[in-house]
Amino acid sequence: MTETAEQPPASTVVQRLSLLDRFLPVWIGTAMVIGLLAGRFVPGLNTVLNSLHVVSGVSLPIFIGLLVMMYPVLAKVRYDRLESVTADKRLLISSLVINWLVGPAVMFVLAWTFLPDLPEYRTGLIIVGLARCIAMVIIWNDLACGDREAAAVLVALNSVFQVLAFAGLGWFYLSVLPGWLGLSQVGLDVSAWQIARSVLIFLGIPLVAGYLSRRFGERAQGRQWYESTFLSTIGPIAPYGLLFTIIVLFALQGEAITSRPLDVARIALPLLIYFVIMWAGTFALGKGLRLSYERSTTLAFTAAGNNFELAIAVAIATFGVTSGQALAGVVGPLIEVPVLVGLVYVSLAARRWFSSDSTTAPVSADASRRQ
């Protein structure tokens, strides 16, 4: 066993943050409002944004925002420490079970419980539950002082399973299981390549960029320069990427969200319950398994977050941009973003529940603070 570093109180961690980070919930709320209003009232904005693609079905503005958001965090990862994460079988097995067995099942139950009379929205929610998080979890984990190396490994692991399992689970939860239960059935036409392409673009590019920065930056200038100078220079841009992504995302669907507020409210309730159940249950599991605070936090956020980019893309490609399934996909981040920001602060407050008998890999010098 390795003892964890003594954790400072949440108030101390918050005080160390920059002005942007300290009031991030305010800026995120503002970005959501700006996006919604722009999408509703700026003529032709949706058309312009929808016409910008990296490849067909992959939004260029969202890709740029996610790259700016994810690259600084992935550049901070100590890739030479990943072996200590891959050796933690409790962490890896727990993540796979929660993400690919528990998560989709919980969303299926909630969707049918709260939306039995709205099949389009119900299907959209089930698709959200199948799309496990590979993007924004990186920044939520970093804000909550989670284990960066563990986050990189779990996100990569979930990405592989996403390519392999998404289509099969979609068939099971939308066609097979409802048939067994005597419920209405829906088909999901999505290829493994479509999913793999999304994963490679949204995760693969920033991950490779972060790895190459660490490898060649340290080789050229040394670790001290890389961590004290380079990372401190690029680190502050990550929240701007998050805010830009939120503005673009809500601008793309601003009219749909603002024109159907009652439908949004009905979709939002099961989503809210889902995020809280997944985060709280997994965080408690980490504590029960005697994982460190850092790894329990990482496990919880990777379980609670969803890959909204993939969910929206699949819903639009299968059912159309104006479909109820697409609207449910868009409402996903509308609820997920503020809820998981709130859970960042809950995580920081819960650090006192963890003591030195929790097991983890050696803690880096910045484990208890954000760079």
Side-chain angles (χ1 to χ4, degrees), residues 42 56 59 63 212 234 261 343:
V42 177
S56 179
S59 168
F63 165 71
L212 293 178
I234 67 167
L343 290 174

Side-chain angles (χ1 to χ4, degrees), residues 85-86 88-104 129 132-134 137 149-162 169 274 278 281-283 285-286 289 291 295-305:
V85 180
T86 58
D88 190 341
K89 304 305 180 186
R90 293 172 304 165
L91 179 70
L92 299 183
I93 293 173
S94 296
S95 180
L96 289 177
V97 170
I98 292 166
N99 275 286
W100 298 104
L101 295 179
V102 177
R132 311 314 299 167
C133 193
I134 64 169
V137 68
E149 287 70 40
V153 170
L154 295 186
V155 164
L157 186 64
N158 282 326
S159 298
V160 172
F161 269 78
Q162 195 157 95
L169 286 174
Y274 170 84
M278 292 299 295
T282 309
F283 192 78
L285 175 65
L289 292 174
L291 297 177
R295 290 195 175 171
S296 295
T297 297
T298 300
L299 187 64
F301 279 103
T302 52

Side-chain angles (χ1 to χ4, degrees), residues 56-69:
S56 179
V58 178
S59 168
L60 176 61
I62 290 179
F63 165 71
I64 292 172
L66 290 177
L67 179 62
V68 173
M69 178 186 76

Side-chain angles (χ1 to χ4, degrees), residues 258-329:
T258 56
S259 63
R260 290 185 268 179
L262 294 180
D263 289 353
V264 169
R266 287 202 60 181
I267 298 168
L269 181 57
L271 280 168
L272 176 62
I273 296 172
Y274 170 84
F275 293 131
V276 172
I277 288 176
M278 292 299 295
W279 186 90
T282 309
F283 192 78
L285 175 65
K287 172 66 174 173
L289 292 174
R290 298 181 66 192
L291 297 177
S292 67
Y293 164 80
E294 290 81 13
R295 290 195 175 171
S296 295
T297 297
T298 300
L299 187 64
F301 279 103
T302 52
N306 289 87
N307 185 355
F308 60 82
E309 307 94 342
L310 177 62
I312 294 170
V314 169
I316 290 174
T318 305
F319 303 103
V321 69
T322 61
S323 65
Q325 291 88 342
L327 177 62

Side-chain angles (χ1 to χ4, degrees), residues 9-355:
S11 58
T12 302
V13 175
V14 173
Q15 289 169 5
R16 290 173 177 170
L17 301 178
S18 67
L19 181 65
L20 175 63
D21 290 339
R22 191 180 304 175
F23 295 99
L24 190 60
V26 176
W27 312 136
I28 286 175
T30 302
M32 293 169 68
V33 172
I34 290 173
L36 289 172
L37 293 178
R40 180 65 187 260
F41 297 111
V42 177
L45 180 61
N46 282 1
T47 302
V48 172
L49 292 176
N50 278 314
S51 67
L52 301 174
H53 297 285
V54 179
V55 294
S56 179
V58 178
S59 168
L60 176 61
I62 290 179
F63 165 71
I64 292 172
L66 290 177
L67 179 62
V68 173
M69 178 186 76
M70 296 170 66
Y71 166 68
V73 181
L74 291 170
K76 294 176 183 178
V77 171
R78 287 285 302 275
Y79 293 92
D80 56 340
R81 291 178 174 167
L82 295 187
E83 186 176 350
S84 69
V85 180
T86 58
D88 190 341
K89 304 305 180 186
R90 293 172 304 165
L91 179 70
L92 299 183
I93 293 173
S94 296
S95 180
L96 289 177
V97 170
I98 292 166
N99 275 286
W100 298 104
L101 295 179
V102 177
V106 169
M107 187 67 89
F108 177 85
V109 171
L110 290 173
W112 274 97
T113 299
F114 288 93
L115 301 171
D117 57 328
L118 297 171
E120 289 190 1
Y121 297 153
R122 184 177 65 239
T123 299
L125 282 188
I126 292 172
I127 293 172
V128 170
L130 297 175
R132 311 314 299 167
C133 193
I134 64 169
M136 280 194 176
V137 68
I138 296 290
I139 201 163
W140 305 141
N141 179 73
D142 206 48
L143 288 169
C145 300
D147 187 320
R148 288 176 185 148
E149 287 70 40
V153 170
L154 295 186
V155 164
L157 186 64
N158 282 326
S159 298
V160 172
F161 269 78
Q162 195 157 95
V163 173
L164 298 175
F166 185 93
L169 286 174
W171 169 72
F172 176 75
Y173 279 104
L174 294 176
S175 297
V176 177
L177 185 57
W180 289 350
L181 300 175
L183 305 172
S184 60
Q185 299 168 278
V186 179
L188 184 63
D189 182 18
V190 56
S191 68
W193 165 240
Q194 182 181 353
I195 300 165
R197 184 180 62 186
S198 174
V199 170
L200 289 172
I201 291 174
F202 286 131
L203 175 65
I205 292 176
L207 181 61
V208 170
Y211 171 77
L212 293 178
S213 295
R214 168 70 73 171
R215 180 177 177 85
F216 292 107
E218 287 189 357
R219 179 179 296 179
Q221 299 289 338
R223 180 165 294 171
Q224 177 64 31
W225 172 87
Y226 183 84
E227 297 196 345
S228 64
T229 302
F230 181 73
L231 291 183
S232 64
T233 300
I234 67 167
I237 73 172
Y240 293 103
L242 171 65
L243 297 177
F244 176 78
T245 303
I246 291 171
I247 291 173
V248 171
L249 180 67
F250 289 111
L252 282 167
Q253 298 292 334
E255 184 173 357
I257 292 174
T258 56
S259 63
R260 290 185 268 179
L262 294 180
D263 289 353
V264 169
R266 287 202 60 181
I267 298 168
L269 181 57
L271 280 168
L272 176 62
I273 296 172
Y274 170 84
F275 293 131
V276 172
I277 288 176
M278 292 299 295
W279 186 90
T282 309
F283 192 78
L285 175 65
K287 172 66 174 173
L289 292 174
R290 298 181 66 192
L291 297 177
S292 67
Y293 164 80
E294 290 81 13
R295 290 195 175 171
S296 295
T297 297
T298 300
L299 187 64
F301 279 103
T302 52
N306 289 87
N307 185 355
F308 60 82
E309 307 94 342
L310 177 62
I312 294 170
V314 169
I316 290 174
T318 305
F319 303 103
V321 69
T322 61
S323 65
Q325 291 88 342
L327 177 62
V330 173
V331 175
L334 178 68
I335 306 304
E336 177 179 335
V337 170
V339 169
L340 293 192
V341 169
L343 290 174
V344 166
Y345 289 89
V346 174
S347 295
L348 293 172
R351 288 156 71 94
R352 66 181 184 274
W353 296 345
F354 291 79
S355 60

